[in-house]
Each structure stands twice: as C-alpha cells, then as structure tokens.
C-alpha cells in the first residue's frame, strides 16, 4: 500500500512536520507501507484556470499523478481565517471528481487558535467526501503551542492522536482492499 501525505502550506514548517509525523507513525504500524510526502512548498502547482491538466506545468502533473497513484492519503492544512489554505484548495481543484475513490483520506490541521479545531470537519471533510474519499472518524488538530521552537510536536496527547489516526487509516484501507477484491 502507498500512503501519500500532502502538506498544504506554502510557508512555515508545522503542517509539513505534522504530516511527516503521521507518515512515520504509519510506517511504524505497517513497515511494508510505501510513503511519500508532497510538501506544496517544494512545487509550483499552477493556479487552476479551467484548462485540462495537460496544459499545466510538470510540477502540477507530478503532484496530481502522485496523489492519484496513492492507495490512501493524509491531508494537512494550516488554518487561515477559519479556512484551509488556498494552496491546498487550488490543488483539489486540479483533481477529478472521483480522485479519492476507495482511498482513505485522513485529516490533520494546525492553527494558532483552538477555535479552529472544527475547520477540518466543516471545510476539509466535505471536499474529501466530494472527491469520493473515505474519511476516518479520527482527525488531528494541532495548536501552535503543541510545537517546540524546532517545530517538533511536544504534546504527548497529540502524538497519541496521530498514532490513532495512522492505525485507523491503515485498518480501514485494508478492509477496503479486501472488499474491492471480492
């Protein structure tokens, strides 16, 4: 199985670190997993203008192809103005409507206010569901205070939630694969 993490921020390191931690934890749960991280800071995903994907640059193609080739995804976004990042929404706009069909799509968000902890449920989850993703019951919100100065997660409860998310994602994806083989 291939798990792709998407760090949906163009600045900072916290969201990328959080997604990376989910990938590491998933590898601990199942060492046979293939993992990859798409950090949007590292790619020039073009702004959607309504043209077919073939008209966009190689970075855009690469990111979309990597996502489509995944068996499951963990999507991370910082929360800005009570919403997911524009870079992440732009990426979603490049995807076909069934891009996440039969794929578990976990959610992890970071933010500076506890008031933003439900953004994943009210904004990110509907998008993942629209793209036919299977969204686990567990999601993880990480407050900026849960990181140390080196951008490492230091809150033990957050790390436990990351472990729970990784285990749930793998468990659901295994069941989906069994069902799809029937």
């Amino acid at each position: 199985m291939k798990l792709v993490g998407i760090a949906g921020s163009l600045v900072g390191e916290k969201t990328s670190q959080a997604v990376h931690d989910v990938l590491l934890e998933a590898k601990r749960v199942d060492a046979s997993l293939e993992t990859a991280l798409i950090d949007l800071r590292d790619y020039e995903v073009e702004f959607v203008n309504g043209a077919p994907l073939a008209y966009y640059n190689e970075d855009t193609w690469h990111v979309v192809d990597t996502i489509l080739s995944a068996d499951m995804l963990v999507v991370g976004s910082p929360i800005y103005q009570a919403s997911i990042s524009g870079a992440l929404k732009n990426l979603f706009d490049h995807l076909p409507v069934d891009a996440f069909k039969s794929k578990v799509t976990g959610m992890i968000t970071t933010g500076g206010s506890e008031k933003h902890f439900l953004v994943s449920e009210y904004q990110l989850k509907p998008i993942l569901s629209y793209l036919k993703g299977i969204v686990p019951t567990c999601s993880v919100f990480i407050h900026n205070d849960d990181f140390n100065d080196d951008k490492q997660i230091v809150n033990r409860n957050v790390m436990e939630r990351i472990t729970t998310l990784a285990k749930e994602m793998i468990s659901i994806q295994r069941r989906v694969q069994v069902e799809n083989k029937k």
Side-chain angles (χ1 to χ4, degrees), residues 43-107:
Y43 298 95
E44 291 191 26
V45 176
E46 289 184 282
F47 192 77
V48 171
N49 62 21
L53 187 61
Y55 290 94
Y56 293 94
N57 66 20
E58 284 188 40
D59 274 359
T60 304
W61 293 0
H62 171 74
V63 169
V64 169
D65 286 345
T66 301
I67 290 168
L68 295 177
S69 72
D71 296 300
M72 57 183 163
L73 301 154
V74 59
V75 179
S77 180
I79 304 305
Y80 302 133
Q81 303 295 346
S83 183
I84 64 172
S85 73
L88 183 60
K89 177 60 171 85
N90 181 60
L91 174 59
F92 289 151
D93 288 343
H94 280 288
L95 300 174
V97 71
D98 62 349
F100 299 160
K101 186 174 183 181
S102 298
K103 297 178 189 203
V104 173
T105 53
M107 302 180 294

Side-chain angles (χ1 to χ4, degrees), residues 108-149:
I108 190 159
T109 54
T110 58
S113 170
E114 287 89 2
K115 295 176 183 178
H116 294 317
F117 80 99
L118 286 176
V119 171
S120 59
E121 287 294 317
Y122 291 106
Q123 290 203 355
L124 187 53
K125 186 176 183 177
I127 296 168
L128 300 179
S129 296
Y130 174 80
L131 294 169
K132 310 292 189 292
I134 301 165
V135 182
T137 58
C138 178
S139 65
V140 179
F141 173 79
I142 308 170
H143 190 278
N144 287 345
D145 292 344
D146 295 327
F147 292 90
N148 64 17
D149 291 339

Side-chain angles (χ1 to χ4, degrees), residues 34-45:
E34 178 186 344
T35 60
L37 175 64
I38 296 173
D39 191 332
L40 292 183
R41 295 178 304 170
D42 299 334
Y43 298 95
E44 291 191 26
V45 176

